[in-house]
Every structure is written in structure tokens, then in C-alpha cells.
Amino acid sequence: MSNLTSILDALQTRLESIAITGSYNTDVQTVSHWRSANFDETLLNELPSLNIRDVSDEYVERSSYPANSIRILHKLNVEVDILVAGDDIPNQVYNLVADIEKALAVDETFSGLALRTEPQGYEFVTSEHAEQRIGIAVYKFFIHFYAQKFSTT
């Protein structure tokens, strides 16, 4: 398994832990990675939900330490779609943003797989679906990690 895959798996597991019983503000129903489903009744029954998207990976720096090893510092651009429904959409989104940040702060290195996690903020959108208000926000952050040249391990 590559370092990138391990980081994304750890991120998904961390976000799946968001629950009121774990001292968070929200009980997240589902966390997915690159979910492509359309809005339908199934999705509406799974809200609030989070969808992880690793949208780009910038190679920031090359290093030859230790000797004979070329490592590349990656700057992974991650976005988490926040989907909520109901009347109090802004407060639900604010609570989930706080929950995501709290979950990321547990260990921003994902047990040493990454160097650090760098929050970037969020964007907010509200839409209507089948006479029900759906709130959509996108929380953005970077995960910095090293991997061998031509590999994400």
C-alpha cells in the first residue's frame, strides 16, 4: 500500500469517528472517498455525510537524504464535501467544520505518515432538492508528506 493510500485511509477512518458520543458536535452518517452518486432519496437518508476528494498533488521539494535516495515532498490538496439537510444549515455546516478540524488536530501526521496538515478554510453553497433544503460546503486543506521519486510510497 502506498503512503498516499495509507494517508487517505487514515483520514477516512478519522472522519468516520465524528460522533456526538466522541465529544463532537455531529453524528456523521457516512464518509466516502470520491463518491459520485446523484442526489436521491438514499443520499438524503445518509445525511450528514462527508466525501473526501484528493484533487491534486503538487511536488514541492526534492531531497537526496539519506544518500542514494531521492525523496519528494508532496503537497496533497484535499477537499471534504460536507452535505447536510434541514432548516438550520449554516449552524450544521459550522459544527461540521469544527468537527473536521478537531478530528484533524488529533494527529496531523496520521501516525507519522505525513509531516503536517495545513487547513485552508471552506466554501459554502445551499441548494434545494425535492422541496428539501440541502447544504453543501467544501472544507479544504493540504497534507504534506514525503515519498520516493516516481512512487507515492
Side-chain angles (χ1 to χ4, degrees), residues 80-147:
V80 177
D81 300 326
I82 300 169
L83 292 93
V84 297
D87 294 326
D88 196 15
I89 287 173
N91 282 330
Q92 289 184 67
V93 169
Y94 303 148
N95 283 336
L96 270 165
V97 166
D99 288 342
I100 292 169
E101 290 184 339
K102 181 177 180 179
L104 292 174
V106 167
D107 175 11
E108 69 174 285
T109 70
F110 298 96
S111 299
L113 295 170
L115 296 174
R116 69 183 176 278
T117 302
E118 183 182 343
Q120 296 297 302
Y122 68 96
E123 295 178 23
F124 188 39
V125 178
T126 301
S127 66
E128 301 284 331
H129 173 73
E131 300 177 16
Q132 183 172 358
R133 287 188 70 206
I134 303 294
I136 304 169
V138 180
Y139 183 82
K140 301 176 180 188
F141 57 100
F142 298 122
I143 298 175
H144 300 264
F145 68 97
Y146 275 109

Short mmCIF file of all heavy atoms in Angstrom, two decimals, residues 80-147:
data_model
loop_
_atom_site.label_atom_id
_atom_site.label_comp_id
_atom_site.label_asym_id
_atom_site.label_seq_id
_atom_site.Cartn_x
_atom_site.Cartn_y
_atom_site.Cartn_z
N VAL A 80 -13.00 18.14 1.41
CA VAL A 80 -14.03 17.30 2.01
C VAL A 80 -15.37 17.99 1.77
O VAL A 80 -15.60 19.10 2.26
CB VAL A 80 -13.80 17.07 3.52
CG1 VAL A 80 -14.95 16.26 4.12
CG2 VAL A 80 -12.47 16.37 3.76
N ASP A 81 -16.23 17.33 0.99
CA ASP A 81 -17.58 17.85 0.78
C ASP A 81 -18.39 17.57 2.04
O ASP A 81 -18.39 16.45 2.54
CB ASP A 81 -18.25 17.16 -0.40
CG ASP A 81 -17.50 17.34 -1.71
OD1 ASP A 81 -16.91 18.42 -1.89
OD2 ASP A 81 -17.51 16.42 -2.53
N ILE A 82 -19.06 18.59 2.52
CA ILE A 82 -19.94 18.48 3.68
C ILE A 82 -21.37 18.59 3.16
O ILE A 82 -21.71 19.57 2.51
CB ILE A 82 -19.67 19.62 4.69
CG1 ILE A 82 -18.22 19.57 5.18
CG2 ILE A 82 -20.66 19.59 5.83
CD1 ILE A 82 -17.79 20.80 5.97
N LEU A 83 -22.20 17.58 3.43
CA LEU A 83 -23.59 17.59 2.98
C LEU A 83 -24.51 17.47 4.18
O LEU A 83 -24.37 16.53 4.98
CB LEU A 83 -23.85 16.44 2.01
CG LEU A 83 -23.15 16.58 0.66
CD1 LEU A 83 -21.81 15.87 0.71
CD2 LEU A 83 -24.00 15.99 -0.44
N VAL A 84 -25.42 18.42 4.32
CA VAL A 84 -26.38 18.43 5.42
C VAL A 84 -27.76 18.77 4.87
O VAL A 84 -27.89 19.27 3.76
CB VAL A 84 -25.98 19.44 6.53
CG1 VAL A 84 -24.65 19.07 7.17
CG2 VAL A 84 -25.93 20.86 5.98
N ALA A 85 -28.79 18.50 5.66
CA ALA A 85 -30.17 18.82 5.25
C ALA A 85 -30.92 19.38 6.44
O ALA A 85 -30.59 19.10 7.59
CB ALA A 85 -30.87 17.56 4.73
N GLY A 86 -31.95 20.17 6.14
CA GLY A 86 -32.80 20.69 7.20
C GLY A 86 -32.91 22.19 7.16
O GLY A 86 -32.56 22.84 6.17
N ASP A 87 -33.40 22.74 8.26
CA ASP A 87 -33.67 24.18 8.32
C ASP A 87 -32.47 25.00 8.80
O ASP A 87 -32.31 26.13 8.43
CB ASP A 87 -34.85 24.45 9.25
CG ASP A 87 -36.14 23.88 8.66
OD1 ASP A 87 -36.28 23.89 7.43
OD2 ASP A 87 -36.98 23.43 9.45
N ASP A 88 -31.62 24.42 9.64
CA ASP A 88 -30.53 25.16 10.25
C ASP A 88 -29.19 24.81 9.58
O ASP A 88 -28.23 24.44 10.25
CB ASP A 88 -30.50 24.87 11.75
CG ASP A 88 -29.65 25.88 12.49
OD1 ASP A 88 -29.33 26.94 11.92
OD2 ASP A 88 -29.30 25.59 13.65
N ILE A 89 -29.15 24.94 8.27
CA ILE A 89 -27.98 24.53 7.51
C ILE A 89 -26.70 25.26 7.92
O ILE A 89 -25.67 24.63 8.11
CB ILE A 89 -28.25 24.64 6.00
CG1 ILE A 89 -29.21 23.51 5.59
CG2 ILE A 89 -26.97 24.60 5.19
CD1 ILE A 89 -29.70 23.58 4.19
N PRO A 90 -26.71 26.59 8.08
CA PRO A 90 -25.45 27.25 8.44
C PRO A 90 -24.84 26.70 9.73
O PRO A 90 -23.65 26.40 9.76
CB PRO A 90 -25.84 28.72 8.59
CG PRO A 90 -27.02 28.87 7.70
CD PRO A 90 -27.77 27.58 7.81
N ASN A 91 -25.64 26.53 10.77
CA ASN A 91 -25.08 26.01 12.03
C ASN A 91 -24.61 24.56 11.90
O ASN A 91 -23.60 24.18 12.50
CB ASN A 91 -26.09 26.15 13.17
CG ASN A 91 -26.12 27.57 13.69
OD1 ASN A 91 -25.13 28.28 13.65
ND2 ASN A 91 -27.28 28.00 14.16
N GLN A 92 -25.30 23.76 11.09
CA GLN A 92 -24.84 22.39 10.87
C GLN A 92 -23.47 22.38 10.18
O GLN A 92 -22.59 21.61 10.55
CB GLN A 92 -25.85 21.61 10.01
CG GLN A 92 -27.14 21.27 10.70
CD GLN A 92 -28.01 20.43 9.79
OE1 GLN A 92 -27.67 19.30 9.47
NE2 GLN A 92 -29.13 21.00 9.35
N VAL A 93 -23.33 23.27 9.19
CA VAL A 93 -22.04 23.35 8.49
C VAL A 93 -20.95 23.84 9.44
O VAL A 93 -19.86 23.28 9.48
CB VAL A 93 -22.15 24.25 7.24
CG1 VAL A 93 -20.78 24.57 6.66
CG2 VAL A 93 -23.03 23.60 6.19
N TYR A 94 -21.23 24.89 10.21
CA TYR A 94 -20.23 25.39 11.15
C TYR A 94 -19.80 24.30 12.13
O TYR A 94 -18.61 24.16 12.44
CB TYR A 94 -20.75 26.60 11.94
CG TYR A 94 -21.21 27.76 11.09
CD1 TYR A 94 -22.25 28.57 11.51
CD2 TYR A 94 -20.62 28.07 9.87
CE1 TYR A 94 -22.70 29.65 10.75
CE2 TYR A 94 -21.05 29.14 9.09
CZ TYR A 94 -22.10 29.92 9.54
OH TYR A 94 -22.53 30.98 8.77
N ASN A 95 -20.76 23.53 12.62
CA ASN A 95 -20.44 22.44 13.55
C ASN A 95 -19.59 21.37 12.88
O ASN A 95 -18.64 20.86 13.48
CB ASN A 95 -21.72 21.82 14.12
CG ASN A 95 -22.35 22.68 15.19
OD1 ASN A 95 -21.69 23.49 15.84
ND2 ASN A 95 -23.65 22.52 15.38
N LEU A 96 -19.91 21.04 11.64
CA LEU A 96 -19.11 20.03 10.94
C LEU A 96 -17.72 20.53 10.59
O LEU A 96 -16.75 19.77 10.65
CB LEU A 96 -19.84 19.53 9.70
CG LEU A 96 -20.74 18.34 9.97
CD1 LEU A 96 -21.70 18.08 8.84
CD2 LEU A 96 -19.91 17.10 10.26
N VAL A 97 -17.58 21.80 10.26
CA VAL A 97 -16.24 22.36 10.03
C VAL A 97 -15.42 22.24 11.32
O VAL A 97 -14.27 21.80 11.29
CB VAL A 97 -16.32 23.82 9.54
CG1 VAL A 97 -14.97 24.50 9.63
CG2 VAL A 97 -16.86 23.89 8.12
N ALA A 98 -16.03 22.60 12.44
CA ALA A 98 -15.33 22.47 13.73
C ALA A 98 -14.99 21.01 14.02
O ALA A 98 -13.90 20.71 14.53
CB ALA A 98 -16.19 23.06 14.85
N ASP A 99 -15.90 20.10 13.70
CA ASP A 99 -15.65 18.67 13.92
C ASP A 99 -14.51 18.15 13.05
O ASP A 99 -13.65 17.39 13.52
CB ASP A 99 -16.92 17.86 13.64
CG ASP A 99 -17.99 18.04 14.69
OD1 ASP A 99 -17.68 18.51 15.81
OD2 ASP A 99 -19.15 17.70 14.40
N ILE A 100 -14.48 18.55 11.79
CA ILE A 100 -13.39 18.13 10.90
C ILE A 100 -12.06 18.65 11.43
O ILE A 100 -11.07 17.92 11.49
CB ILE A 100 -13.64 18.61 9.45
CG1 ILE A 100 -14.84 17.87 8.85
CG2 ILE A 100 -12.39 18.42 8.59
CD1 ILE A 100 -15.32 18.46 7.54
N GLU A 101 -12.03 19.92 11.83
CA GLU A 101 -10.78 20.48 12.35
C GLU A 101 -10.35 19.78 13.64
O GLU A 101 -9.17 19.52 13.85
CB GLU A 101 -10.92 21.98 12.54
CG GLU A 101 -10.99 22.70 11.19
CD GLU A 101 -11.04 24.20 11.28
OE1 GLU A 101 -11.41 24.75 12.34
OE2 GLU A 101 -10.70 24.84 10.26
N LYS A 102 -11.31 19.45 14.49
CA LYS A 102 -10.99 18.73 15.72
C LYS A 102 -10.44 17.34 15.39
O LYS A 102 -9.46 16.89 16.00
CB LYS A 102 -12.24 18.62 16.59
CG LYS A 102 -12.00 17.91 17.90
CD LYS A 102 -13.27 17.90 18.75
CE LYS A 102 -13.03 17.19 20.08
NZ LYS A 102 -14.25 17.20 20.91
N ALA A 103 -11.04 16.67 14.42
CA ALA A 103 -10.57 15.34 14.02
C ALA A 103 -9.17 15.41 13.42
O ALA A 103 -8.32 14.57 13.71
CB ALA A 103 -11.55 14.71 13.03
N LEU A 104 -8.90 16.42 12.60
CA LEU A 104 -7.56 16.57 12.01
C LEU A 104 -6.52 16.88 13.09
O LEU A 104 -5.38 16.45 12.98
CB LEU A 104 -7.57 17.67 10.94
CG LEU A 104 -8.36 17.37 9.68
CD1 LEU A 104 -8.39 18.60 8.77
CD2 LEU A 104 -7.78 16.17 8.94
N ALA A 105 -6.91 17.62 14.11
CA ALA A 105 -5.98 18.01 15.17
C ALA A 105 -5.59 16.86 16.08
O ALA A 105 -4.59 16.95 16.80
CB ALA A 105 -6.58 19.14 16.00
N VAL A 106 -6.32 15.76 16.03
CA VAL A 106 -5.98 14.59 16.86
C VAL A 106 -4.54 14.17 16.60
O VAL A 106 -3.78 13.88 17.51
CB VAL A 106 -6.96 13.41 16.60
CG1 VAL A 106 -6.44 12.12 17.20
CG2 VAL A 106 -8.34 13.75 17.13
N ASP A 107 -4.14 14.13 15.33
CA ASP A 107 -2.77 13.80 14.94
C ASP A 107 -2.60 14.23 13.49
O ASP A 107 -2.98 13.51 12.57
CB ASP A 107 -2.50 12.31 15.10
CG ASP A 107 -1.12 11.90 14.59
OD1 ASP A 107 -0.29 12.80 14.30
OD2 ASP A 107 -0.89 10.69 14.45
N GLU A 108 -2.06 15.40 13.28
CA GLU A 108 -1.95 15.94 11.92
C GLU A 108 -0.92 15.23 11.08
O GLU A 108 -0.81 15.48 9.88
CB GLU A 108 -1.69 17.45 11.95
CG GLU A 108 -0.33 17.84 12.45
CD GLU A 108 -0.08 19.33 12.32
OE1 GLU A 108 0.16 19.81 11.20
OE2 GLU A 108 -0.15 20.01 13.35
N THR A 109 -0.17 14.28 11.67
CA THR A 109 0.80 13.50 10.89
C THR A 109 0.27 12.11 10.53
O THR A 109 0.97 11.35 9.86
CB THR A 109 2.13 13.33 11.65
OG1 THR A 109 1.92 12.46 12.77
CG2 THR A 109 2.70 14.66 12.10
N PHE A 110 -0.93 11.77 10.98
CA PHE A 110 -1.52 10.45 10.71
C PHE A 110 -0.54 9.34 11.07
O PHE A 110 -0.15 8.52 10.24
CB PHE A 110 -2.00 10.34 9.25
CG PHE A 110 -3.07 11.34 8.92
CD1 PHE A 110 -2.75 12.55 8.32
CD2 PHE A 110 -4.39 11.09 9.25
CE1 PHE A 110 -3.73 13.48 8.04
CE2 PHE A 110 -5.38 12.02 8.96
CZ PHE A 110 -5.05 13.22 8.37
N SER A 111 -0.12 9.38 12.35
CA SER A 111 0.81 8.38 12.91
C SER A 111 2.14 8.36 12.17
O SER A 111 2.73 7.30 11.94
CB SER A 111 0.18 6.99 12.92
OG SER A 111 -0.97 6.98 13.72
N GLY A 112 2.61 9.53 11.78
CA GLY A 112 3.92 9.63 11.14
C GLY A 112 3.92 9.43 9.63
O GLY A 112 4.99 9.51 9.02
N LEU A 113 2.78 9.19 9.03
CA LEU A 113 2.72 9.03 7.57
C LEU A 113 2.93 10.36 6.85
O LEU A 113 3.43 10.39 5.72
CB LEU A 113 1.38 8.44 7.15
CG LEU A 113 1.09 7.02 7.62
CD1 LEU A 113 -0.36 6.66 7.35
CD2 LEU A 113 2.04 6.03 6.94
N ALA A 114 2.54 11.46 7.48
CA ALA A 114 2.64 12.80 6.89
C ALA A 114 3.49 13.68 7.78
O ALA A 114 3.72 13.37 8.96
CB ALA A 114 1.25 13.41 6.72
N LEU A 115 3.94 14.80 7.24
CA LEU A 115 4.70 15.77 8.03
C LEU A 115 3.77 16.69 8.80
O LEU A 115 4.00 17.00 9.96
CB LEU A 115 5.58 16.62 7.11
CG LEU A 115 6.66 15.88 6.36
CD1 LEU A 115 7.36 16.82 5.38
CD2 LEU A 115 7.66 15.30 7.33
N ARG A 116 2.71 17.15 8.12
CA ARG A 116 1.76 18.06 8.76
C ARG A 116 0.51 18.19 7.90
O ARG A 116 0.50 17.84 6.73
CB ARG A 116 2.39 19.44 8.99
CG ARG A 116 2.66 20.23 7.73
CD ARG A 116 3.35 21.57 8.01
NE ARG A 116 3.68 22.26 6.78
CZ ARG A 116 4.73 22.03 6.02
NH1 ARG A 116 5.57 21.07 6.37
NH2 ARG A 116 4.95 22.72 4.93
N THR A 117 -0.51 18.74 8.53
CA THR A 117 -1.77 19.05 7.85
C THR A 117 -2.00 20.54 7.97
O THR A 117 -1.82 21.11 9.04
CB THR A 117 -2.93 18.27 8.50
OG1 THR A 117 -2.63 16.87 8.42
CG2 THR A 117 -4.24 18.54 7.79
N GLU A 118 -2.37 21.17 6.87
CA GLU A 118 -2.47 22.63 6.82
C GLU A 118 -3.88 23.05 6.37
O GLU A 118 -4.22 22.96 5.19
CB GLU A 118 -1.42 23.13 5.82
CG GLU A 118 -1.32 24.59 5.67
CD GLU A 118 -0.27 24.95 4.61
OE1 GLU A 118 0.57 24.11 4.23
OE2 GLU A 118 -0.33 26.10 4.15
N PRO A 119 -4.73 23.49 7.31
CA PRO A 119 -6.09 23.89 6.93
C PRO A 119 -6.09 25.12 6.02
O PRO A 119 -5.25 26.00 6.15
CB PRO A 119 -6.76 24.22 8.27
CG PRO A 119 -5.75 24.05 9.33
CD PRO A 119 -4.46 23.65 8.72
N GLN A 120 -7.08 25.16 5.11
CA GLN A 120 -7.20 26.27 4.17
C GLN A 120 -8.54 27.00 4.25
O GLN A 120 -8.70 28.05 3.67
CB GLN A 120 -7.00 25.76 2.73
CG GLN A 120 -5.62 25.21 2.47
CD GLN A 120 -4.57 26.26 2.63
OE1 GLN A 120 -4.59 27.29 1.97
NE2 GLN A 120 -3.63 26.05 3.53
N GLY A 121 -9.52 26.41 4.93
CA GLY A 121 -10.82 27.05 5.06
C GLY A 121 -11.90 26.28 4.33
O GLY A 121 -11.72 25.13 3.96
N TYR A 122 -13.04 26.96 4.13
CA TYR A 122 -14.16 26.28 3.47
C TYR A 122 -14.96 27.26 2.62
O TYR A 122 -14.88 28.46 2.79
CB TYR A 122 -15.06 25.59 4.50
CG TYR A 122 -15.83 26.53 5.40
CD1 TYR A 122 -17.14 26.89 5.10
CD2 TYR A 122 -15.25 27.07 6.54
CE1 TYR A 122 -17.85 27.75 5.92
CE2 TYR A 122 -15.95 27.92 7.36
CZ TYR A 122 -17.25 28.26 7.05
OH TYR A 122 -17.95 29.12 7.86
N GLU A 123 -15.72 26.69 1.69
CA GLU A 123 -16.67 27.43 0.85
C GLU A 123 -18.05 26.86 1.13
O GLU A 123 -18.19 25.68 1.40
CB GLU A 123 -16.32 27.27 -0.63
CG GLU A 123 -15.00 27.86 -1.01
CD GLU A 123 -14.68 27.62 -2.48
OE1 GLU A 123 -15.62 27.40 -3.27
OE2 GLU A 123 -13.50 27.65 -2.81
N PHE A 124 -19.07 27.68 0.98
CA PHE A 124 -20.41 27.30 1.38
C PHE A 124 -21.40 27.50 0.24
O PHE A 124 -21.38 28.52 -0.43
CB PHE A 124 -20.80 28.17 2.59
CG PHE A 124 -22.07 27.80 3.26
CD1 PHE A 124 -22.44 26.49 3.44
CD2 PHE A 124 -22.89 28.79 3.75
CE1 PHE A 124 -23.61 26.16 4.08
CE2 PHE A 124 -24.07 28.48 4.40
CZ PHE A 124 -24.43 27.16 4.56
N VAL A 125 -22.27 26.48 0.00
CA VAL A 125 -23.30 26.54 -1.03
C VAL A 125 -24.57 25.94 -0.43
O VAL A 125 -24.50 24.99 0.33
CB VAL A 125 -22.91 25.72 -2.27
CG1 VAL A 125 -24.01 25.74 -3.31
CG2 VAL A 125 -21.59 26.20 -2.85
N THR A 126 -25.73 26.49 -0.76
CA THR A 126 -27.00 25.89 -0.36
C THR A 126 -27.80 25.60 -1.61
O THR A 126 -27.82 26.39 -2.54
CB THR A 126 -27.83 26.85 0.53
OG1 THR A 126 -27.07 27.16 1.69
CG2 THR A 126 -29.13 26.20 0.95
N SER A 127 -28.43 24.43 -1.65
CA SER A 127 -29.25 24.10 -2.82
C SER A 127 -30.56 23.47 -2.35
O SER A 127 -30.72 23.10 -1.20
CB SER A 127 -28.50 23.13 -3.74
OG SER A 127 -28.31 21.90 -3.10
N GLU A 128 -31.48 23.35 -3.27
CA GLU A 128 -32.78 22.74 -2.99
C GLU A 128 -32.84 21.39 -3.71
O GLU A 128 -32.31 21.23 -4.79
CB GLU A 128 -33.91 23.63 -3.52
CG GLU A 128 -33.95 25.02 -2.93
CD GLU A 128 -34.49 25.07 -1.52
OE1 GLU A 128 -35.31 24.21 -1.16
OE2 GLU A 128 -34.09 25.96 -0.76
N HIS A 129 -33.50 20.44 -3.09
CA HIS A 129 -33.71 19.15 -3.73
C HIS A 129 -35.04 18.58 -3.24
O HIS A 129 -35.22 18.41 -2.03
CB HIS A 129 -32.59 18.17 -3.41
CG HIS A 129 -32.86 16.79 -3.92
ND1 HIS A 129 -32.81 16.47 -5.25
CD2 HIS A 129 -33.23 15.67 -3.28
CE1 HIS A 129 -33.12 15.20 -5.40
NE2 HIS A 129 -33.37 14.69 -4.21
N ALA A 130 -35.93 18.30 -4.15
CA ALA A 130 -37.22 17.68 -3.81
C ALA A 130 -37.87 18.38 -2.63
O ALA A 130 -38.29 17.74 -1.67
CB ALA A 130 -37.03 16.19 -3.54
N GLU A 131 -37.91 19.70 -2.74
CA GLU A 131 -38.54 20.52 -1.71
C GLU A 131 -37.87 20.41 -0.34
O GLU A 131 -38.47 20.72 0.69
CB GLU A 131 -40.03 20.18 -1.60
CG GLU A 131 -40.78 20.43 -2.89
CD GLU A 131 -42.22 20.04 -2.80
OE1 GLU A 131 -42.73 19.85 -1.68
OE2 GLU A 131 -42.86 19.92 -3.86
N GLN A 132 -36.63 19.97 -0.31
CA GLN A 132 -35.88 19.90 0.93
C GLN A 132 -34.59 20.69 0.76
O GLN A 132 -33.93 20.60 -0.27
CB GLN A 132 -35.55 18.44 1.28
CG GLN A 132 -34.83 18.30 2.60
CD GLN A 132 -34.69 16.84 3.00
OE1 GLN A 132 -35.15 15.95 2.32
NE2 GLN A 132 -34.04 16.61 4.12
N ARG A 133 -34.25 21.48 1.77
CA ARG A 133 -33.01 22.26 1.71
C ARG A 133 -31.82 21.36 1.96
O ARG A 133 -31.79 20.63 2.94
CB ARG A 133 -33.04 23.37 2.75
CG ARG A 133 -33.99 24.50 2.38
CD ARG A 133 -33.85 25.66 3.34
NE ARG A 133 -32.56 26.31 3.10
CZ ARG A 133 -31.90 27.01 4.03
NH1 ARG A 133 -32.39 27.16 5.22
NH2 ARG A 133 -30.76 27.58 3.73
N ILE A 134 -30.86 21.43 1.06
CA ILE A 134 -29.61 20.69 1.19
C ILE A 134 -28.50 21.73 1.30
O ILE A 134 -28.43 22.65 0.49
CB ILE A 134 -29.35 19.79 -0.03
CG1 ILE A 134 -30.50 18.82 -0.26
CG2 ILE A 134 -28.02 19.05 0.11
CD1 ILE A 134 -30.68 17.81 0.81
N GLY A 135 -27.64 21.57 2.28
CA GLY A 135 -26.49 22.46 2.41
C GLY A 135 -25.24 21.72 1.98
O GLY A 135 -25.04 20.56 2.36
N ILE A 136 -24.44 22.39 1.19
CA ILE A 136 -23.19 21.81 0.73
C ILE A 136 -22.08 22.80 1.01
O ILE A 136 -22.18 23.98 0.67
CB ILE A 136 -23.22 21.49 -0.77
CG1 ILE A 136 -24.40 20.56 -1.10
CG2 ILE A 136 -21.89 20.86 -1.22
CD1 ILE A 136 -24.65 20.41 -2.58
N ALA A 137 -21.04 22.33 1.65
CA ALA A 137 -19.84 23.14 1.87
C ALA A 137 -18.64 22.28 1.50
O ALA A 137 -18.72 21.05 1.48
CB ALA A 137 -19.76 23.59 3.32
N VAL A 138 -17.54 22.92 1.21
CA VAL A 138 -16.31 22.21 0.87
C VAL A 138 -15.22 22.71 1.81
O VAL A 138 -14.86 23.89 1.79
CB VAL A 138 -15.90 22.45 -0.60
CG1 VAL A 138 -14.61 21.70 -0.91
CG2 VAL A 138 -17.01 22.04 -1.54
N TYR A 139 -14.71 21.80 2.66
CA TYR A 139 -13.61 22.12 3.57
C TYR A 139 -12.31 21.73 2.86
O TYR A 139 -12.19 20.63 2.31
CB TYR A 139 -13.76 21.35 4.88
CG TYR A 139 -12.69 21.71 5.87
CD1 TYR A 139 -12.80 22.85 6.65
CD2 TYR A 139 -11.54 20.92 6.01
CE1 TYR A 139 -11.80 23.21 7.54
CE2 TYR A 139 -10.55 21.27 6.90
CZ TYR A 139 -10.68 22.41 7.66
OH TYR A 139 -9.69 22.77 8.54
N LYS A 140 -11.32 22.65 2.87
CA LYS A 140 -10.09 22.45 2.11
C LYS A 140 -8.87 22.44 3.03
O LYS A 140 -8.79 23.23 3.97
CB LYS A 140 -9.92 23.56 1.08
CG LYS A 140 -11.08 23.65 0.10
CD LYS A 140 -10.92 24.82 -0.84
CE LYS A 140 -12.08 24.88 -1.80
NZ LYS A 140 -11.87 25.88 -2.84
N PHE A 141 -7.93 21.54 2.72
CA PHE A 141 -6.67 21.51 3.47
C PHE A 141 -5.60 20.79 2.66
O PHE A 141 -5.91 20.12 1.66
CB PHE A 141 -6.85 20.85 4.84
CG PHE A 141 -7.40 19.45 4.82
CD1 PHE A 141 -6.56 18.35 4.94
CD2 PHE A 141 -8.76 19.22 4.70
CE1 PHE A 141 -7.06 17.07 4.93
CE2 PHE A 141 -9.28 17.94 4.69
CZ PHE A 141 -8.43 16.86 4.80
N PHE A 142 -4.35 20.98 3.07
CA PHE A 142 -3.21 20.30 2.45
C PHE A 142 -2.66 19.28 3.44
O PHE A 142 -2.64 19.52 4.65
CB PHE A 142 -2.09 21.29 2.11
CG PHE A 142 -2.48 22.34 1.11
CD1 PHE A 142 -2.37 23.68 1.42
CD2 PHE A 142 -2.91 21.99 -0.16
CE1 PHE A 142 -2.71 24.66 0.51
CE2 PHE A 142 -3.25 22.96 -1.09
CZ PHE A 142 -3.15 24.30 -0.75
N ILE A 143 -2.18 18.17 2.90
CA ILE A 143 -1.42 17.20 3.69
C ILE A 143 -0.04 17.12 3.03
O ILE A 143 0.08 16.82 1.84
CB ILE A 143 -2.09 15.82 3.72
CG1 ILE A 143 -3.47 15.91 4.37
CG2 ILE A 143 -1.21 14.82 4.47
CD1 ILE A 143 -4.27 14.63 4.33
N HIS A 144 1.00 17.39 3.81
CA HIS A 144 2.38 17.34 3.32
C HIS A 144 2.99 16.01 3.73
O HIS A 144 2.93 15.63 4.89
CB HIS A 144 3.19 18.49 3.92
CG HIS A 144 2.66 19.85 3.60
ND1 HIS A 144 3.14 20.60 2.56
CD2 HIS A 144 1.66 20.58 4.16
CE1 HIS A 144 2.48 21.75 2.50
NE2 HIS A 144 1.57 21.76 3.46
N PHE A 145 3.59 15.30 2.75
CA PHE A 145 4.25 14.03 3.06
C PHE A 145 5.38 13.78 2.08
O PHE A 145 5.40 14.32 0.97
CB PHE A 145 3.25 12.87 3.05
CG PHE A 145 2.70 12.52 1.69
CD1 PHE A 145 3.26 11.49 0.94
CD2 PHE A 145 1.63 13.21 1.15
CE1 PHE A 145 2.76 11.16 -0.32
CE2 PHE A 145 1.12 12.89 -0.09
CZ PHE A 145 1.69 11.86 -0.84
N TYR A 146 6.35 12.96 2.49
CA TYR A 146 7.45 12.56 1.63
C TYR A 146 7.15 11.21 1.00
O TYR A 146 6.51 10.35 1.61
CB TYR A 146 8.77 12.43 2.41
CG TYR A 146 9.51 13.72 2.57
CD1 TYR A 146 9.58 14.35 3.81
CD2 TYR A 146 10.17 14.31 1.48
CE1 TYR A 146 10.27 15.54 3.95
CE2 TYR A 146 10.86 15.49 1.63
CZ TYR A 146 10.92 16.11 2.87
OH TYR A 146 11.60 17.28 3.01
N ALA A 147 7.63 11.02 -0.22
CA ALA A 147 7.57 9.72 -0.90
C ALA A 147 8.77 9.62 -1.82
O ALA A 147 9.37 10.61 -2.21
CB ALA A 147 6.28 9.59 -1.69
#
